Amino acid sequence: MRNKIIAVDGPAASGKEKISKYISKKWKLKHLDSGILYRRLALIFLNEKIDIKNLNNINKKISEIATISYQNSKKLRTQEVSKLASEIAIYNTVRLYINRLQHDFVKKNKNYQGFVIDGRDIGSVVFKKADLKLYIHVKPEIRAKRRYKQLIDSGEKSIYPKILKDIKLRDNRDKLRKHSPLVIPKDAYLIDNNGTFLETTMQIDKLILNKYL
Ligand code: CDP
């Protein structure tokens, strides 16, 4: 594999991050989680108490930030940041800005043999020419159960029905927004992640082996 891009898209809490980390390690590809960029930007708006209902405020702030860290952090995973990240993701200016950061990341890391990038619009918009596109499917109830456990394990207070409601709300926002809505790209492979992780990785490894070996 050389300079390959594997796009991993799917709805909230569908396991894109865990799957992408697995692919990154197994196939020696650099991982980029585009959700981190939306979350980092949301955290900046939150800390600076910027009213995100006003598009001028958003544009002004974005023009002041040259770049954003690609690193994950526990403070990006709170329910408050998750909600705000999903709210700012509807704006085209935010999406264009974060799309540029993703292309910069790939350019800066040209020495890697390839990339696995996860998000909502990687295969459909950001890297339309990705070599392999995966779309992760998991029922909302299973996603909510997994996210609930993740939050409890990390010491956050959490209520299952609220998580389920938030996930459905974010699904709707992701699917119904005007700019880069969450869609299954025509040329994507549907990955069933309702079962065990091993069942999921077996589907993926088979696809990668068929494609590259
Ligand atoms: O981990 P989870 O699926 O809950 O969220 P994430 O991937 O960290 O993304 C946080 C939010 O950013 C999501 O709710 C999306 O609305 C938005 N997002 C997006 O619109 N496009 C992307 N490529 C990645 C994230």
Side-chain angles (χ1 to χ4, degrees):
M1 280 192 224
R2 183 107 212 126
N3 286 326
K4 294 284 179 270
I5 293 188
I6 298 186
V8 181
D9 288 306
S14 54
K16 301 175 302 293
E17 192 193 353
K18 190 173 173 190
I19 289 170
S20 301
K21 281 196 171 134
Y22 168 84
I23 298 174
S24 159
K25 197 160 170 225
K26 169 132 191 184
W27 300 97
K28 302 197 172 38
L29 302 175
K30 182 94 175 148
H31 176 211
L32 171 60
D33 173 351
S34 63
I36 288 179
L37 300 169
Y38 286 90
R39 286 171 183 271
R40 287 226 169 247
L41 193 59
L43 188 62
I44 294 173
F45 291 144
L46 197 67
N47 288 342
E48 299 189 19
K49 297 191 174 55
I50 292 170
D51 176 12
I52 62 132
K53 298 227 163 55
N54 183 334
L55 194 56
N56 289 333
N57 293 342
I58 293 190
N59 289 340
K60 183 170 179 292
K61 190 70 221 171
I62 283 178
S63 69
E64 291 163 10
I65 315 170
T67 191
I68 291 185
S69 163
Y70 300 88
Q71 297 302 314
N72 205 352
S73 152
K74 205 178 153 196
K75 58 181 189 283
L76 300 176
R77 300 284 148 191
T78 64
Q79 280 173 263
E80 204 181 10
V81 173
S82 300
K83 181 170 174 282
L84 198 67
S86 146
E87 285 169 357
I88 61 168
I90 65 167
Y91 295 116
N92 202 32
T93 39
V94 167
R95 304 205 70 84
L96 291 174
Y97 171 68
I98 289 181
N99 292 359
R100 181 176 59 73
L101 293 181
Q102 294 178 70
H103 281 275
D104 287 351
F105 180 88
V106 166
K107 269 186 223 137
K108 260 189 259 155
N109 291 285
K110 270 276 180 277
N111 52 327
Y112 278 86
Q113 59 173 355
F115 301 86
V116 51
I117 306 177
D118 71 278
R120 301 288 190 286
D121 57 348
I122 309 304
S124 57
V125 175
V126 190
F127 293 100
K128 268 190 182 156
K129 293 190 178 151
D131 302 85
L132 183 65
K133 300 180 185 178
L134 309 177
Y135 186 93
I136 314 299
H137 169 70
V138 189
K139 285 185 205 137
E141 290 73 18
I142 296 183
R143 286 190 268 140
K145 219 168 106 189
R146 290 176 181 165
R147 182 53 50 98
Y148 171 77
K149 188 175 177 305
Q150 207 179 35
L151 287 167
I152 293 289
D153 289 350
S154 71
E156 259 219 65
K157 286 201 187 85
S158 181
I159 306 162
Y160 173 80
K162 180 164 183 342
I163 302 276
L164 181 60
K165 195 173 154 223
D166 283 354
I167 279 186
K168 288 185 173 168
L169 254 168
R170 286 170 63 201
D171 279 359
N172 274 340
R173 217 179 275 129
D174 280 334
K175 287 177 182 164
L176 301 177
R177 70 176 168 234
K178 186 171 162 209
H179 306 289
S180 315
L182 174 66
V183 291
I184 307 177
K186 277 195 298 297
D187 45 352
Y189 291 91
L190 213 57
I191 302 294
D192 179 349
N193 190 28
N194 287 288
T196 66
F197 194 60
L198 180 63
E199 283 164 350
T200 301
T201 55
M202 276 164 63
Q203 300 167 59
I204 295 172
D205 287 338
K206 203 171 144 195
L207 283 173
I208 297 180
L209 281 169
N210 280 343
K211 176 114 191 134
Y212 298 115
L213 295 180

